[in-house]
Amino acid sequence: MRRNETEAMMAVVALSLAGCSEMGDSSFGSYETGTSDPSGTGTLDIEPGQMTAGDWDDNANFDLFLEYQGAARSALPGDPGIDVADRVVVTVLDGAGDPVPGATVTVLADGSPVASSTVGANGRFLFFPGHDGAGSASDIVVGAVPPASEDLAFRTATLAPGARSVDVVLDGAVATRPTALDVAFVIDTTGSMSDEITYINAEIQGIVDTVHAWQSGLDTRWAIVVYRDEGDVYVTRAFDFTSDVSDFTSHLSHQLAGGGGDYPEAMEQALGEMNRLSWRTGNVARVAFLIADAPPHPENAQAMLAQAGVARLGGIRIFPVAASGVADSAEYLMRTAALVTLGRYVFVTDDSGIGADHAEPHLPCYRVQYLADLMARMILSCLSGSVLPPHPDAVIRTVGDPVDGVCTLDDGSFAYL
């Protein structure tokens, strides 16, 4: 099944690119568990491709997210969140109507810039007028320029009152796929992750191997941020981007679970550390996987979402990966981070039997797949500009009876995978 899936996805990719309670020790960091690689070669005894997961796109199901967000947000202390109801989808296109990866978008409200970012392979940027300080503006203009290698003038489009999308057309621009890839893994390494951390490390190494096999010759770099909580041996620990795979896997193989002591962790500090990595600018696919089983402390929830906002403006797509133990608050915060950065919410399932019980997500339908293949496809989707679906043979189980990626809900509406 996995061979068939890989062969099918390689064909799809070729076409696309051509076009809980915490179980940590209460002494905070007095033990660590897992299987390490003392030699530093990056070789683990566990084979990748065992963990299972599903995924969900809240931007493709925006009305469902707004319904979910209302209850989830109000249930948390301080009502943390980003006001997304006025979301505007900005798309930068060339004269033929194709996305222009690497273009720089700037939003002007009554003549003053309020938001700027670099678009990915799908040419999109999400602008939130209220959150970005343009809610009372009478004139909102969105402009864009192509990657620096092209000598074209700043082109603009005016956002019509009440409109929720706007296209900026760069006549004369050449739409080319991203020329490089930066991928960061942000991993909760507290004690409650001990049931899955070794498997996750193995899966990440499998992802690296798969991406390099599919995209040989692409300028690719990898980074790691691990985090725990205040009072632990460390709060955050970063290994900046490197193109040396052996160096990356050596650092990865030494990351074990330990510390903690309560449910919330220092997620907001980890995302801040992630934003400070040496991300490249320009026509580069920038991808971050946030692998965690707990939210930040309640008083830091808004700070965590603020860091997701920094990633949005930095053109970084966040793909949260919810491990065992994730409860309602963590799901809500992680899904919000994915939405504002144009990522997808990924959640580990019980199908593999690895780890403790995994909470059922608040979703009407999804497909269960192998985690490593799913994450690798997320990376390849960020290079191709379109979501690469799993091969039918790779789907282990479905919830909600999707047909061709679409679920019909009880009220007759649709959900899109």
Side-chain angles (χ1 to χ4, degrees), residues 193-346:
M193 290 287 288
S194 62
D195 61 339
E196 293 177 315
I197 193 69
T198 306
Y199 288 93
I200 287 171
N201 288 353
E203 300 291 358
I204 292 174
Q205 294 192 58
I207 292 164
V208 173
D209 293 340
T210 299
V211 171
H212 274 281
W214 287 350
Q215 294 294 292
S216 60
L218 182 70
D219 183 4
T220 303
R221 304 190 308 165
W222 309 89
I224 308 168
V225 175
V226 292
Y227 70 97
R228 293 183 179 174
D229 203 2
E230 296 289 348
D232 286 339
V233 173
Y234 61 85
V235 178
T236 64
R237 182 179 289 168
F239 303 90
D240 207 353
F241 286 107
T242 178
S243 57
D244 186 332
V245 174
S246 62
D247 184 46
F248 169 81
T249 55
S250 176
H251 289 311
L252 177 66
S253 66
H254 285 85
Q255 306 313 312
L256 308 178
D262 58 2
Y263 179 49
E265 313 300 354
M267 182 183 286
E268 80 289 347
Q269 296 190 51
L271 288 180
E273 198 71 56
M274 178 204 77
N275 284 323
R276 289 189 289 272
L277 295 172
S278 60
W279 296 93
R280 288 176 288 186
T281 59
N283 193 12
V284 178
R286 291 170 286 272
V287 181
F289 291 100
L290 170 61
I291 304 171
D293 68 347
H297 288 268
E299 64 271 21
N300 297 325
Q302 196 64 50
M304 175 265 180
L305 293 177
Q307 290 300 330
V310 173
R312 172 178 68 104
L313 298 179
I316 303 166
R317 289 195 180 188
I318 297 177
F319 293 84
V321 180
S324 60
V326 161
D328 291 355
S329 59
E331 177 185 347
Y332 160 65
L333 293 170
M334 294 167 83
R335 284 174 63 177
T336 302
L339 182 143
V340 301
T341 62
L342 287 166
R344 295 172 71 91
Y345 179 62
V346 180

Side-chain angles (χ1 to χ4, degrees), residues 106-115 127 132-143 154 156-159:
T106 300
V107 181
L108 305 172
D110 292 336
S112 299
V114 293
F127 166 57
D132 290 327
S136 61
S138 58
D139 181 44
I140 297 178
V141 174
V142 183
F154 185 70
T156 63
T158 299
L159 181 66

Side-chain angles (χ1 to χ4, degrees), residues 10 65 76 205 221 252 296 306 321 339 342 363 386 399 413:
M10 288 178 70
F65 179 81
L76 297 179
Q205 294 192 58
R221 304 190 308 165
L252 177 66
V321 180
L339 182 143
L342 287 166
L363 301 173
S386 59
V399 172
S413 62

Side-chain angles (χ1 to χ4, degrees), residues 334-410:
M334 294 167 83
R335 284 174 63 177
T336 302
L339 182 143
V340 301
T341 62
L342 287 166
R344 295 172 71 91
Y345 179 62
V346 180
F347 47 95
V348 179
T349 69
D350 288 337
D351 298 81
S352 67
I354 296 172
D357 290 342
H358 299 85
E360 187 71 14
H362 296 80
L363 301 173
C365 60
Y366 57 87
R367 296 171 293 213
V368 177
Q369 311 144 59
Y370 285 108
L371 175 64
D373 292 332
L374 191 161
M375 293 173 68
R377 282 201 317 278
M378 296 302 99
I379 295 172
L380 272 293
S381 295
C382 289
L383 290 167
S384 70
S386 59
V387 177
L388 305 178
H391 188 274
D393 291 344
V395 177
I396 299 167
R397 176 173 62 89
T398 61
V399 172
D401 298 323
V403 177
D404 295 329
V406 180
C407 291
T408 301
L409 306 184
D410 291 341

